[in-house]
Amino acid sequence: MARCDLTVRGGGVFGLSIAYTLARRGAKVRLIETAQIGAGASGGLVGALSPHVPENWNPKKAFQLDSLLMAEAFWAGVSAASGLPTGYARLGRLQPLADAQAVQTATARGASAQTLWQQHAQWQVVPASGSAWEPASPTGLLIHDTLSARLHPRQAAAALAAALTALDGEVVLGAAEDCGPVIHATGTAGLQALSDALGRPVGGGVKGQALSLRFAARDQPQLFVDGLHIVPHADGSVAIGSTSERVWTEATSTDAQLDALHARAVAALPCLAGAPVLARWAGLRPRAKSRAPMLGAWPDRPGHFIANGGFKIGFGMAPKVAEVMADLVLDGRDTIPQGFRVEDSL
């Protein structure tokens, strides 16, 4: 194998994004993935890059805002380096408003967004237009935020791997030796390994199920209806997700819960009725005990670092996570925000 300066273990979005960012900064990186690129949660279908509501501001929301604002340049760089699409587009998001109280709350959040989002994006209450690509709203009003974007998870993972190779990094599938400092971005298995090493639970996997339909809505905003994400992609598919299952029997099998999800999506957006199903997916999303991404040094294991716990917002957090981990490992500069450290999940 070629000489390398450091190792990233895990071919999901955190590991790939970190390895790519390290390589862009001049490091010789070896990425090791034991299964396949995009295994686990990063091989899903949905790709909704959506913000938390603009209120009760905290370090997690501030970190997410920074990452979402970095995303356009980050993913454009990945496409340029790899020559492959990532499916990124910032097209916003619509949400129906059920009653007068919901309208009042949404309006107040819109005022907060003007300050908290630093005028980079808007959270507005707008009248429904009657478009077929709009969920029914009992009040005739919708939330429209201009911060939300979409990404095609599988395309993005493939593009990151190709970009890393283009920057003289190694992508190794299977067993391989570590070199230099090691960043563990190994998802649910990594949380279990860390729990075992520390003798206490630090997180685990939450199962999600999603599906995609053949339906062309490439330039439309994503929708969020009663906890359901409906995300149109540039390849002519629409992704729908997802369940959130703390208890399951088989981590990667789909079942009747996904059928119910499909039915809910069609009820929310009747234009999807009859659209053929392209894919059904199930997998585990790594959730740290703190509910925030888990970043930093592996306790009592010098030269080893953790980047895990993306859960449902891993793709949205990835650009900023990669920057923070590169600062830490290459420059010794600790910019990990409050609540994101490994110790916060102990």
mmCIF file of all heavy atoms in Angstrom, residues 171-220:
data_model
loop_
_atom_site.group_PDB
_atom_site.id
_atom_site.type_symbol
_atom_site.label_atom_id
_atom_site.label_comp_id
_atom_site.label_asym_id
_atom_site.label_seq_id
_atom_site.Cartn_x
_atom_site.Cartn_y
_atom_site.Cartn_z
ATOM 1 N N VAL A 171 -8.782 4.190 -0.855
ATOM 2 C CA VAL A 171 -10.045 3.637 -0.385
ATOM 3 C C VAL A 171 -9.885 2.128 -0.372
ATOM 4 O O VAL A 171 -9.755 1.509 -1.434
ATOM 5 C CB VAL A 171 -11.221 4.065 -1.275
ATOM 6 C CG1 VAL A 171 -12.512 3.402 -0.808
ATOM 7 C CG2 VAL A 171 -11.374 5.581 -1.280
ATOM 8 N N VAL A 172 -9.874 1.545 0.813
ATOM 9 C CA VAL A 172 -9.628 0.115 0.960
ATOM 10 C C VAL A 172 -10.897 -0.552 1.460
ATOM 11 O O VAL A 172 -11.442 -0.160 2.499
ATOM 12 C CB VAL A 172 -8.484 -0.150 1.961
ATOM 13 C CG1 VAL A 172 -8.234 -1.653 2.075
ATOM 14 C CG2 VAL A 172 -7.220 0.592 1.541
ATOM 15 N N LEU A 173 -11.374 -1.544 0.731
ATOM 16 C CA LEU A 173 -12.518 -2.336 1.162
ATOM 17 C C LEU A 173 -12.007 -3.649 1.734
ATOM 18 O O LEU A 173 -11.299 -4.399 1.051
ATOM 19 C CB LEU A 173 -13.470 -2.598 -0.003
ATOM 20 C CG LEU A 173 -14.088 -1.365 -0.665
ATOM 21 C CD1 LEU A 173 -15.034 -1.788 -1.785
ATOM 22 C CD2 LEU A 173 -14.829 -0.511 0.348
ATOM 23 N N GLY A 174 -12.346 -3.916 2.994
ATOM 24 C CA GLY A 174 -11.872 -5.121 3.658
ATOM 25 C C GLY A 174 -10.878 -4.784 4.750
ATOM 26 O O GLY A 174 -10.827 -3.672 5.255
ATOM 27 N N ALA A 175 -10.061 -5.763 5.090
ATOM 28 C CA ALA A 175 -9.094 -5.577 6.174
ATOM 29 C C ALA A 175 -7.858 -4.844 5.672
ATOM 30 O O ALA A 175 -7.420 -5.039 4.536
ATOM 31 C CB ALA A 175 -8.700 -6.937 6.751
ATOM 32 N N ALA A 176 -7.329 -3.981 6.520
ATOM 33 C CA ALA A 176 -6.096 -3.270 6.192
ATOM 34 C C ALA A 176 -5.502 -2.721 7.480
ATOM 35 O O ALA A 176 -6.182 -2.575 8.492
ATOM 36 C CB ALA A 176 -6.369 -2.125 5.206
ATOM 37 N N GLU A 177 -4.205 -2.413 7.419
ATOM 38 C CA GLU A 177 -3.513 -1.876 8.581
ATOM 39 C C GLU A 177 -3.753 -0.378 8.716
ATOM 40 O O GLU A 177 -3.865 0.349 7.720
ATOM 41 C CB GLU A 177 -2.015 -2.142 8.466
ATOM 42 C CG GLU A 177 -1.631 -3.612 8.545
ATOM 43 C CD GLU A 177 -0.125 -3.799 8.518
ATOM 44 O OE1 GLU A 177 0.598 -2.785 8.392
ATOM 45 O OE2 GLU A 177 0.315 -4.952 8.618
ATOM 46 N N ASP A 178 -3.810 0.086 9.956
ATOM 47 C CA ASP A 178 -3.884 1.512 10.221
ATOM 48 C C ASP A 178 -2.515 2.146 10.017
ATOM 49 O O ASP A 178 -1.471 1.494 10.149
ATOM 50 C CB ASP A 178 -4.327 1.780 11.669
ATOM 51 C CG ASP A 178 -5.736 1.273 11.949
ATOM 52 O OD1 ASP A 178 -6.545 1.215 11.010
ATOM 53 O OD2 ASP A 178 -6.015 0.932 13.112
ATOM 54 N N CYS A 179 -2.526 3.434 9.741
ATOM 55 C CA CYS A 179 -1.288 4.203 9.725
ATOM 56 C C CYS A 179 -1.559 5.547 10.378
ATOM 57 O O CYS A 179 -2.607 6.158 10.159
ATOM 58 C CB CYS A 179 -0.779 4.395 8.300
ATOM 59 S SG CYS A 179 -1.925 5.268 7.218
ATOM 60 N N GLY A 180 -0.647 5.988 11.219
ATOM 61 C CA GLY A 180 -0.796 7.276 11.871
ATOM 62 C C GLY A 180 -2.006 7.342 12.782
ATOM 63 O O GLY A 180 -2.557 6.315 13.210
ATOM 64 N N PRO A 181 -2.462 8.551 13.104
ATOM 65 C CA PRO A 181 -3.684 8.697 13.899
ATOM 66 C C PRO A 181 -4.868 8.029 13.189
ATOM 67 O O PRO A 181 -4.907 7.964 11.954
ATOM 68 C CB PRO A 181 -3.874 10.214 13.973
ATOM 69 C CG PRO A 181 -2.529 10.791 13.690
ATOM 70 C CD PRO A 181 -1.864 9.844 12.750
ATOM 71 N N VAL A 182 -5.819 7.534 13.981
ATOM 72 C CA VAL A 182 -6.967 6.816 13.429
ATOM 73 C C VAL A 182 -8.250 7.503 13.877
ATOM 74 O O VAL A 182 -8.460 7.724 15.069
ATOM 75 C CB VAL A 182 -6.991 5.346 13.897
ATOM 76 C CG1 VAL A 182 -8.158 4.599 13.253
ATOM 77 C CG2 VAL A 182 -5.668 4.658 13.579
ATOM 78 N N ILE A 183 -9.081 7.830 12.901
ATOM 79 C CA ILE A 183 -10.397 8.402 13.179
ATOM 80 C C ILE A 183 -11.437 7.319 12.940
ATOM 81 O O ILE A 183 -11.548 6.789 11.830
ATOM 82 C CB ILE A 183 -10.676 9.619 12.282
ATOM 83 C CG1 ILE A 183 -9.606 10.697 12.499
ATOM 84 C CG2 ILE A 183 -12.073 10.181 12.554
ATOM 85 C CD1 ILE A 183 -9.682 11.831 11.498
ATOM 86 N N HIS A 184 -12.187 6.982 13.968
ATOM 87 C CA HIS A 184 -13.198 5.932 13.888
ATOM 88 C C HIS A 184 -14.560 6.577 13.601
ATOM 89 O O HIS A 184 -15.127 7.256 14.456
ATOM 90 C CB HIS A 184 -13.256 5.149 15.195
ATOM 91 C CG HIS A 184 -11.968 4.466 15.542
ATOM 92 N ND1 HIS A 184 -11.724 3.144 15.246
ATOM 93 C CD2 HIS A 184 -10.840 4.933 16.151
ATOM 94 C CE1 HIS A 184 -10.506 2.819 15.661
ATOM 95 N NE2 HIS A 184 -9.953 3.882 16.216
ATOM 96 N N ALA A 185 -15.053 6.342 12.390
ATOM 97 C CA ALA A 185 -16.366 6.867 11.984
ATOM 98 C C ALA A 185 -17.199 5.678 11.525
ATOM 99 O O ALA A 185 -17.596 5.581 10.365
ATOM 100 C CB ALA A 185 -16.212 7.906 10.873
ATOM 101 N N THR A 186 -17.435 4.757 12.447
ATOM 102 C CA THR A 186 -17.935 3.427 12.103
ATOM 103 C C THR A 186 -19.381 3.182 12.524
ATOM 104 O O THR A 186 -19.797 2.036 12.686
ATOM 105 C CB THR A 186 -17.000 2.363 12.703
ATOM 106 O OG1 THR A 186 -16.715 2.690 14.076
ATOM 107 C CG2 THR A 186 -15.686 2.317 11.948
ATOM 108 N N GLY A 187 -20.149 4.242 12.701
ATOM 109 C CA GLY A 187 -21.588 4.104 12.863
ATOM 110 C C GLY A 187 -22.008 3.285 14.069
ATOM 111 O O GLY A 187 -21.383 3.324 15.134
ATOM 112 N N THR A 188 -23.080 2.526 13.891
ATOM 113 C CA THR A 188 -23.655 1.761 15.000
ATOM 114 C C THR A 188 -22.655 0.769 15.587
ATOM 115 O O THR A 188 -22.560 0.626 16.812
ATOM 116 C CB THR A 188 -24.915 1.023 14.513
ATOM 117 O OG1 THR A 188 -25.861 1.988 14.034
ATOM 118 C CG2 THR A 188 -25.549 0.247 15.648
ATOM 119 N N ALA A 189 -21.900 0.084 14.740
ATOM 120 C CA ALA A 189 -20.889 -0.856 15.239
ATOM 121 C C ALA A 189 -19.843 -0.127 16.068
ATOM 122 O O ALA A 189 -19.360 -0.648 17.083
ATOM 123 C CB ALA A 189 -20.227 -1.582 14.076
ATOM 124 N N GLY A 190 -19.489 1.079 15.669
ATOM 125 C CA GLY A 190 -18.517 1.857 16.408
ATOM 126 C C GLY A 190 -19.024 2.298 17.766
ATOM 127 O O GLY A 190 -18.270 2.323 18.748
ATOM 128 N N LEU A 191 -20.309 2.647 17.845
ATOM 129 C CA LEU A 191 -20.890 3.001 19.138
ATOM 130 C C LEU A 191 -20.872 1.803 20.088
ATOM 131 O O LEU A 191 -20.616 1.946 21.283
ATOM 132 C CB LEU A 191 -22.315 3.519 18.963
ATOM 133 C CG LEU A 191 -22.464 4.880 18.288
ATOM 134 C CD1 LEU A 191 -23.950 5.224 18.121
ATOM 135 C CD2 LEU A 191 -21.760 5.975 19.076
ATOM 136 N N GLN A 192 -21.135 0.629 19.522
ATOM 137 C CA GLN A 192 -21.094 -0.580 20.355
ATOM 138 C C GLN A 192 -19.669 -0.867 20.821
ATOM 139 O O GLN A 192 -19.440 -1.223 21.978
ATOM 140 C CB GLN A 192 -21.644 -1.777 19.582
ATOM 141 C CG GLN A 192 -21.743 -3.057 20.409
ATOM 142 C CD GLN A 192 -22.669 -2.899 21.596
ATOM 143 O OE1 GLN A 192 -23.832 -2.545 21.444
ATOM 144 N NE2 GLN A 192 -22.157 -3.156 22.805
ATOM 145 N N ALA A 193 -18.696 -0.712 19.920
ATOM 146 C CA ALA A 193 -17.299 -0.955 20.288
ATOM 147 C C ALA A 193 -16.849 0.016 21.372
ATOM 148 O O ALA A 193 -16.135 -0.368 22.314
ATOM 149 C CB ALA A 193 -16.403 -0.836 19.059
ATOM 150 N N LEU A 194 -17.264 1.267 21.250
ATOM 151 C CA LEU A 194 -16.893 2.261 22.248
ATOM 152 C C LEU A 194 -17.578 1.967 23.581
ATOM 153 O O LEU A 194 -16.962 2.089 24.645
ATOM 154 C CB LEU A 194 -17.258 3.654 21.751
ATOM 155 C CG LEU A 194 -16.819 4.840 22.615
ATOM 156 C CD1 LEU A 194 -15.309 4.855 22.798
ATOM 157 C CD2 LEU A 194 -17.298 6.152 22.000
ATOM 158 N N SER A 195 -18.832 1.563 23.528
ATOM 159 C CA SER A 195 -19.547 1.186 24.753
ATOM 160 C C SER A 195 -18.847 0.028 25.449
ATOM 161 O O SER A 195 -18.673 0.027 26.680
ATOM 162 C CB SER A 195 -20.995 0.797 24.422
ATOM 163 O OG SER A 195 -21.724 1.890 23.903
ATOM 164 N N ASP A 196 -18.435 -0.978 24.664
ATOM 165 C CA ASP A 196 -17.751 -2.138 25.238
ATOM 166 C C ASP A 196 -16.413 -1.720 25.867
ATOM 167 O O ASP A 196 -16.053 -2.183 26.962
ATOM 168 C CB ASP A 196 -17.506 -3.196 24.163
ATOM 169 C CG ASP A 196 -18.805 -3.837 23.664
ATOM 170 O OD1 ASP A 196 -19.832 -3.711 24.357
ATOM 171 O OD2 ASP A 196 -18.761 -4.445 22.580
ATOM 172 N N ALA A 197 -15.687 -0.852 25.168
ATOM 173 C CA ALA A 197 -14.372 -0.443 25.663
ATOM 174 C C ALA A 197 -14.478 0.379 26.943
ATOM 175 O O ALA A 197 -13.615 0.268 27.828
ATOM 176 C CB ALA A 197 -13.649 0.368 24.589
ATOM 177 N N LEU A 198 -15.524 1.193 27.048
ATOM 178 C CA LEU A 198 -15.666 2.073 28.201
ATOM 179 C C LEU A 198 -16.492 1.445 29.321
ATOM 180 O O LEU A 198 -16.577 2.004 30.422
ATOM 181 C CB LEU A 198 -16.298 3.394 27.769
ATOM 182 C CG LEU A 198 -15.493 4.212 26.754
ATOM 183 C CD1 LEU A 198 -16.252 5.475 26.382
ATOM 184 C CD2 LEU A 198 -14.115 4.561 27.293
ATOM 185 N N GLY A 199 -17.132 0.320 29.027
ATOM 186 C CA GLY A 199 -17.913 -0.361 30.042
ATOM 187 C C GLY A 199 -19.214 0.320 30.394
ATOM 188 O O GLY A 199 -19.755 0.120 31.480
ATOM 189 N N ARG A 200 -19.746 1.112 29.484
ATOM 190 C CA ARG A 200 -21.035 1.773 29.703
ATOM 191 C C ARG A 200 -21.612 2.152 28.351
ATOM 192 O O ARG A 200 -20.870 2.400 27.397
ATOM 193 C CB ARG A 200 -20.875 3.018 30.571
ATOM 194 C CG ARG A 200 -20.065 4.133 29.921
ATOM 195 C CD ARG A 200 -19.800 5.274 30.871
ATOM 196 N NE ARG A 200 -18.720 4.952 31.791
ATOM 197 C CZ ARG A 200 -18.255 5.823 32.687
ATOM 198 N NH1 ARG A 200 -18.792 7.016 32.807
ATOM 199 N NH2 ARG A 200 -17.260 5.477 33.479
ATOM 200 N N PRO A 201 -22.922 2.187 28.211
ATOM 201 C CA PRO A 201 -23.516 2.499 26.908
ATOM 202 C C PRO A 201 -23.353 3.972 26.540
ATOM 203 O O PRO A 201 -23.632 4.851 27.363
ATOM 204 C CB PRO A 201 -25.000 2.149 27.096
ATOM 205 C CG PRO A 201 -25.235 2.270 28.568
ATOM 206 C CD PRO A 201 -23.947 1.864 29.224
ATOM 207 N N VAL A 202 -22.887 4.220 25.329
ATOM 208 C CA VAL A 202 -22.740 5.595 24.851
ATOM 209 C C VAL A 202 -23.678 5.898 23.681
ATOM 210 O O VAL A 202 -23.705 7.013 23.168
ATOM 211 C CB VAL A 202 -21.290 5.894 24.427
ATOM 212 C CG1 VAL A 202 -20.340 5.707 25.588
ATOM 213 C CG2 VAL A 202 -20.869 5.022 23.238
ATOM 214 N N GLY A 203 -24.448 4.906 23.274
ATOM 215 C CA GLY A 203 -25.376 5.093 22.163
ATOM 216 C C GLY A 203 -25.660 3.776 21.483
ATOM 217 O O GLY A 203 -25.207 2.718 21.930
ATOM 218 N N GLY A 204 -26.409 3.834 20.406
ATOM 219 C CA GLY A 204 -26.753 2.614 19.678
ATOM 220 C C GLY A 204 -27.469 2.953 18.385
ATOM 221 O O GLY A 204 -27.555 4.106 17.976
ATOM 222 N N GLY A 205 -27.991 1.920 17.747
ATOM 223 C CA GLY A 205 -28.656 2.094 16.463
ATOM 224 C C GLY A 205 -30.159 2.216 16.599
ATOM 225 O O GLY A 205 -30.771 1.509 17.393
ATOM 226 N N VAL A 206 -30.730 3.130 15.836
ATOM 227 C CA VAL A 206 -32.182 3.265 15.726
ATOM 228 C C VAL A 206 -32.546 2.915 14.284
ATOM 229 O O VAL A 206 -32.040 3.526 13.339
ATOM 230 C CB VAL A 206 -32.651 4.689 16.071
ATOM 231 C CG1 VAL A 206 -34.160 4.823 15.879
ATOM 232 C CG2 VAL A 206 -32.272 5.041 17.505
ATOM 233 N N LYS A 207 -33.408 1.936 14.134
ATOM 234 C CA LYS A 207 -33.767 1.486 12.792
ATOM 235 C C LYS A 207 -34.650 2.508 12.085
ATOM 236 O O LYS A 207 -35.545 3.110 12.678
ATOM 237 C CB LYS A 207 -34.499 0.139 12.856
ATOM 238 C CG LYS A 207 -34.862 -0.427 11.483
ATOM 239 C CD LYS A 207 -35.525 -1.796 11.597
ATOM 240 C CE LYS A 207 -35.952 -2.327 10.228
ATOM 241 N NZ LYS A 207 -36.544 -3.680 10.301
ATOM 242 N N GLY A 208 -34.393 2.669 10.800
ATOM 243 C CA GLY A 208 -35.252 3.487 9.953
ATOM 244 C C GLY A 208 -35.595 2.743 8.689
ATOM 245 O O GLY A 208 -34.789 1.954 8.184
ATOM 246 N N GLN A 209 -36.791 2.962 8.177
ATOM 247 C CA GLN A 209 -37.208 2.409 6.892
ATOM 248 C C GLN A 209 -37.639 3.549 5.978
ATOM 249 O O GLN A 209 -38.257 4.519 6.424
ATOM 250 C CB GLN A 209 -38.367 1.430 7.069
ATOM 251 C CG GLN A 209 -38.061 0.224 7.923
ATOM 252 C CD GLN A 209 -39.211 -0.773 7.929
ATOM 253 O OE1 GLN A 209 -39.704 -1.185 6.886
ATOM 254 N NE2 GLN A 209 -39.634 -1.177 9.130
ATOM 255 N N ALA A 210 -37.316 3.415 4.701
ATOM 256 C CA ALA A 210 -37.676 4.437 3.715
ATOM 257 C C ALA A 210 -37.894 3.771 2.368
ATOM 258 O O ALA A 210 -37.519 2.612 2.159
ATOM 259 C CB ALA A 210 -36.574 5.489 3.622
ATOM 260 N N LEU A 211 -38.501 4.496 1.449
ATOM 261 C CA LEU A 211 -38.688 3.995 0.093
ATOM 262 C C LEU A 211 -38.554 5.128 -0.897
ATOM 263 O O LEU A 211 -38.578 6.303 -0.532
ATOM 264 C CB LEU A 211 -40.036 3.298 -0.071
ATOM 265 C CG LEU A 211 -41.306 4.149 -0.159
ATOM 266 C CD1 LEU A 211 -42.405 3.376 -0.857
ATOM 267 C CD2 LEU A 211 -41.784 4.555 1.232
ATOM 268 N N SER A 212 -38.392 4.780 -2.148
ATOM 269 C CA SER A 212 -38.378 5.789 -3.207
ATOM 270 C C SER A 212 -39.337 5.373 -4.314
ATOM 271 O O SER A 212 -39.530 4.178 -4.589
ATOM 272 C CB SER A 212 -36.964 5.996 -3.772
ATOM 273 O OG SER A 212 -36.505 4.831 -4.434
ATOM 274 N N LEU A 213 -39.947 6.378 -4.930
ATOM 275 C CA LEU A 213 -40.909 6.191 -6.007
ATOM 276 C C LEU A 213 -40.368 6.824 -7.282
ATOM 277 O O LEU A 213 -39.592 7.784 -7.231
ATOM 278 C CB LEU A 213 -42.239 6.859 -5.651
ATOM 279 C CG LEU A 213 -42.875 6.513 -4.306
ATOM 280 C CD1 LEU A 213 -44.169 7.305 -4.124
ATOM 281 C CD2 LEU A 213 -43.127 5.027 -4.185
ATOM 282 N N ARG A 214 -40.805 6.283 -8.427
ATOM 283 C CA ARG A 214 -40.486 6.941 -9.686
ATOM 284 C C ARG A 214 -41.507 8.046 -9.928
ATOM 285 O O ARG A 214 -42.679 7.798 -10.231
ATOM 286 C CB ARG A 214 -40.510 5.950 -10.853
ATOM 287 C CG ARG A 214 -40.079 6.596 -12.186
ATOM 288 C CD ARG A 214 -40.105 5.603 -13.340
ATOM 289 N NE ARG A 214 -39.228 4.464 -13.119
ATOM 290 C CZ ARG A 214 -37.906 4.492 -13.253
ATOM 291 N NH1 ARG A 214 -37.304 5.623 -13.597
ATOM 292 N NH2 ARG A 214 -37.187 3.403 -13.036
ATOM 293 N N PHE A 215 -41.081 9.270 -9.748
ATOM 294 C CA PHE A 215 -41.960 10.422 -9.955
ATOM 295 C C PHE A 215 -41.061 11.638 -10.172
ATOM 296 O O PHE A 215 -40.193 11.934 -9.353
ATOM 297 C CB PHE A 215 -42.861 10.649 -8.742
ATOM 298 C CG PHE A 215 -43.919 11.694 -8.958
ATOM 299 C CD1 PHE A 215 -45.166 11.343 -9.481
ATOM 300 C CD2 PHE A 215 -43.673 13.025 -8.658
ATOM 301 C CE1 PHE A 215 -46.136 12.309 -9.696
ATOM 302 C CE2 PHE A 215 -44.633 14.002 -8.866
ATOM 303 C CZ PHE A 215 -45.870 13.636 -9.384
ATOM 304 N N ALA A 216 -41.244 12.325 -11.288
ATOM 305 C CA ALA A 216 -40.381 13.447 -11.648
ATOM 306 C C ALA A 216 -40.883 14.733 -10.994
ATOM 307 O O ALA A 216 -41.947 15.252 -11.340
ATOM 308 C CB ALA A 216 -40.334 13.610 -13.160
ATOM 309 N N ALA A 217 -40.105 15.227 -10.038
ATOM 310 C CA ALA A 217 -40.406 16.509 -9.398
ATOM 311 C C ALA A 217 -39.082 17.190 -9.057
ATOM 312 O O ALA A 217 -38.890 17.731 -7.978
ATOM 313 C CB ALA A 217 -41.260 16.300 -8.158
ATOM 314 N N ARG A 218 -38.167 17.149 -10.008
ATOM 315 C CA ARG A 218 -36.756 17.465 -9.767
ATOM 316 C C ARG A 218 -36.513 18.823 -9.131
ATOM 317 O O ARG A 218 -35.623 18.979 -8.299
ATOM 318 C CB ARG A 218 -35.993 17.394 -11.093
ATOM 319 C CG ARG A 218 -35.926 16.003 -11.699
ATOM 320 C CD ARG A 218 -35.331 16.041 -13.095
ATOM 321 N NE ARG A 218 -35.210 14.702 -13.665
ATOM 322 C CZ ARG A 218 -36.223 14.056 -14.250
ATOM 323 N NH1 ARG A 218 -37.424 14.631 -14.316
ATOM 324 N NH2 ARG A 218 -36.032 12.844 -14.746
ATOM 325 N N ASP A 219 -37.254 19.837 -9.530
ATOM 326 C CA ASP A 219 -36.976 21.199 -9.083
ATOM 327 C C ASP A 219 -37.950 21.678 -8.019
ATOM 328 O O ASP A 219 -38.016 22.874 -7.734
ATOM 329 C CB ASP A 219 -37.008 22.153 -10.281
ATOM 330 C CG ASP A 219 -35.961 21.791 -11.318
ATOM 331 O OD1 ASP A 219 -34.845 21.401 -10.920
ATOM 332 O OD2 ASP A 219 -36.253 21.884 -12.530
ATOM 333 N N GLN A 220 -38.674 20.758 -7.425
ATOM 334 C CA GLN A 220 -39.655 21.121 -6.406
ATOM 335 C C GLN A 220 -39.015 21.092 -5.013
ATOM 336 O O GLN A 220 -38.030 20.389 -4.777
ATOM 337 C CB GLN A 220 -40.831 20.143 -6.439
ATOM 338 C CG GLN A 220 -41.623 20.162 -7.733
ATOM 339 C CD GLN A 220 -42.349 21.490 -7.942
ATOM 340 O OE1 GLN A 220 -42.671 22.191 -6.993
ATOM 341 N NE2 GLN A 220 -42.597 21.822 -9.196
#
